[in-house]
Amino acid sequence: MYKTIEELVTRVDERNNDGIVSELIGVSIDKCFIKSVANTNGTDLSKYKIIRKNDFAVSLMQVSRDGKIPVARLEEYEEAIMSPAYPIFRVKDNNIILPEYLEMWFKRPEFDREAAFIAVGGVRGSMPWEEFAKMKLPVPPIEKQRKIVNAYKIVTDRIALKQKINDNLEAQAEAIYNEMIANNSTNSTMSTLGEISTIKTGKLNSEAAVTNGIYPFFTCSQETYRTNTFSFDQEAVLLAGNNASAIYPLKIYCGKFDVYQRTYVISSNNRFVSNKQLYFVLKQQLNEFKGISSGTTTKFLTMKILTPIPVVIAPEDISTSFINITNKMFETIFQNQREIEHLHELQMIVLGELSRN
């Protein structure tokens, strides 16, 4: 049985009148909540909307341009506040539809494509709430919903577990880097990122573009899957070159991957400096990058900024020891990354099954 969103949810417009709630969040294009980086000093927070656990928030602006609707269900907090521009809604009856099931439907690429098509005629590609509310989805019996949600949760929990393992391993490797190299100046020499590494940037429709297969695709704001982008087949450090909020995603990756414009691919050409070391060098520089601006609202990194970054070259015995220790740790990290990729593919398969129910 198909039902409209309007039949399943009710809009919420609860204001932070007493100003007690102070956790300000927004919704990203990746359909998750992010902490706001806005300076709220002197801001009247009583005008902001309160969102509570299991409520949804959606941004209906520029849907056709972005090709996605930023919409998410709140899990991280019991309550938070959001800009009044966000429509907030919640499920009317959990015996009719589970919030988790509705969230899964919103994550489907087909949902985004349908929404982008509807929004084409809107002002600047935006979608009025009334049009969003008319969109339909299949609503199977509640027990079937629970089975679907549980299957999806098993995959999601596995991803979270693997990511937690990777985060712990990376923290251990960084501590080793600090102890053996960054904080140990004995017989070390100094160089720069430009002198000891090769730095490339991604290009669209280049001669090296992928023609067969689909590989992990990295860009300034998200990780997704595409073809026809500049392709690499090596271990490298990936650094997004620009972001409007001055947050620069950083990743070390091994295997076939593609990158888009303004994403730097950095690999060492010095046998005493590993890519793992370069990763930690850049990671610890990120806070410095946040103050960099081009004079416009978009802050970005350039080769002129990256190449002079100082890099410590440790003595051969220390470098070799660091490389041997961290190579073993990152071998596990890379294996987990590959499993996470496969699990994301499985997630998409599960989401695709929703339209068949």
Side-chain angles (χ1 to χ4, degrees):
M1 178 187 300
Y2 276 75
K3 290 182 179 291
T4 63
I5 293 174
E6 189 174 33
E7 292 177 280
L8 299 169
V9 308
T10 183
R11 285 191 68 174
V12 179
D13 191 2
E14 180 185 0
R15 301 294 171 135
N16 189 33
N17 293 327
D18 52 15
I20 292 178
V21 185
S22 59
E23 188 68 56
L24 181 59
I25 59 175
V27 181
S28 78
I29 199 169
D30 297 318
K31 300 182 188 283
C32 62
F33 287 99
I34 53 175
K35 286 189 176 184
S36 173
V37 295
N39 184 354
T40 58
N41 290 335
T43 303
D44 183 4
L45 298 181
S46 67
K47 299 182 184 297
Y48 283 66
K49 292 181 178 180
I50 294 178
I51 181 170
R52 300 190 182 277
K53 193 166 188 176
N54 276 327
D55 286 352
F56 291 81
V58 61
S59 174
L60 297 172
M61 301 298 292
Q62 299 177 327
V63 173
S64 63
R65 186 201 70 176
D66 297 334
K68 276 190 174 185
I69 290 190
V71 56
R73 178 176 62 90
L74 187 64
E75 291 186 273
E76 297 87 350
Y77 309 100
E78 291 298 322
E79 60 184 13
I81 54 174
M82 304 191 72
S83 162
Y86 286 103
I88 297 174
F89 57 95
R90 65 177 58 129
V91 166
K92 290 179 181 178
D93 188 344
N94 285 17
N95 293 315
I96 300 298
I97 189 168
L98 299 174
E100 297 87 348
Y101 179 87
L102 181 59
E103 178 185 34
M104 289 175 62
W105 182 262
F106 289 148
K107 288 182 177 180
R108 299 173 70 249
E110 294 84 357
F111 168 79
D112 285 324
R113 284 197 289 270
E114 180 184 356
F117 177 79
I118 295 170
V120 167
V123 178
R124 296 181 181 177
S126 63
M127 174 183 280
W129 168 264
E130 291 74 19
E131 293 298 322
F132 175 76
K134 288 178 185 177
M135 296 180 72
K136 294 183 177 182
L137 65 149
V139 184
I142 202 71
E143 284 304 319
K144 190 165 188 178
Q145 290 183 45
R146 288 196 181 98
K147 290 180 180 179
I148 295 170
V149 168
N150 287 340
Y152 189 79
K153 187 175 185 300
I154 289 171
V155 180
T156 302
D157 289 349
R158 180 71 175 175
I159 291 173
L161 174 62
K162 288 295 180 178
Q163 189 58 56
K164 185 176 181 179
I165 292 171
N166 278 4
D167 291 343
N168 290 337
L169 284 171
E170 183 178 314
Q172 293 173 39
E174 184 170 8
I176 294 169
Y177 162 73
N178 288 331
E179 180 180 354
M180 296 183 68
I181 297 178
N183 300 330
N184 185 358
S185 59
T186 305
N187 297 323
S188 295
T189 59
M190 295 300 300
S191 186
T192 64
L193 190 66
E195 291 173 341
I196 55 87
S197 71
T198 300
I199 306 176
K200 298 180 180 179
T201 57
K203 298 177 182 179
L204 185 62
N205 296 326
S206 71
E207 292 181 359
V210 174
T211 55
N212 296 298
I214 299 177
Y215 309 105
F217 169 91
F218 300 97
T219 185
C220 296
S221 61
Q222 62 182 327
E223 175 181 335
T224 183
Y225 291 87
R226 289 188 187 177
T227 56
N228 297 326
T229 53
F230 199 79
S231 181
F232 296 87
D233 190 4
Q234 59 188 11
E235 177 190 305
V237 180
L238 290 81
L239 174 63
N242 76 301
N243 189 284
S245 59
I247 298 172
Y248 302 95
L250 178 72
K251 187 179 185 76
I252 184 167
Y253 191 83
C254 184
K256 193 78 158 181
F257 62 93
D258 306 331
V259 296
Y260 190 53
Q261 292 164 310
R262 292 182 180 170
T263 299
Y264 295 102
V265 179
I266 304 164
S267 56
S268 174
N269 55 28
N270 185 303
R271 67 190 183 94
F272 298 124
V273 179
S274 69
N275 288 330
K276 286 84 171 178
Q277 178 178 337
L278 294 184
Y279 174 73
F280 292 124
V281 168
L282 289 164
K283 183 179 179 181
Q284 294 179 4
Q285 284 281 328
L286 288 182
N287 286 334
E288 299 296 325
F289 295 157
K290 291 181 181 180
I292 297 167
S293 175
S294 65
T296 66
T297 56
T298 301
K299 299 178 180 180
F300 63 92
L301 300 176
T302 63
M303 295 289 281
K304 185 177 180 180
I305 294 166
L306 292 175
T307 54
I309 290 174
V311 178
V312 176
I313 302 180
E316 182 175 356
D317 58 335
I318 294 177
S319 295
T320 302
S321 179
F322 173 77
I323 289 169
N324 290 339
I325 293 170
T326 54
N327 276 355
K328 292 177 181 178
M329 300 174 78
F330 273 89
E331 183 178 346
T332 300
I333 290 175
F334 293 145
Q335 288 175 349
N336 287 340
Q337 283 181 348
R338 288 190 287 271
E339 182 173 347
I340 288 171
E341 289 169 22
H342 294 315
L343 289 168
H344 280 306
E345 293 171 3
L346 183 56
Q347 276 186 321
M348 299 307 295
I349 292 171
V350 175
L351 292 176
E353 291 297 316
L354 296 187
S355 60
R356 299 180 177 88
N357 292 297

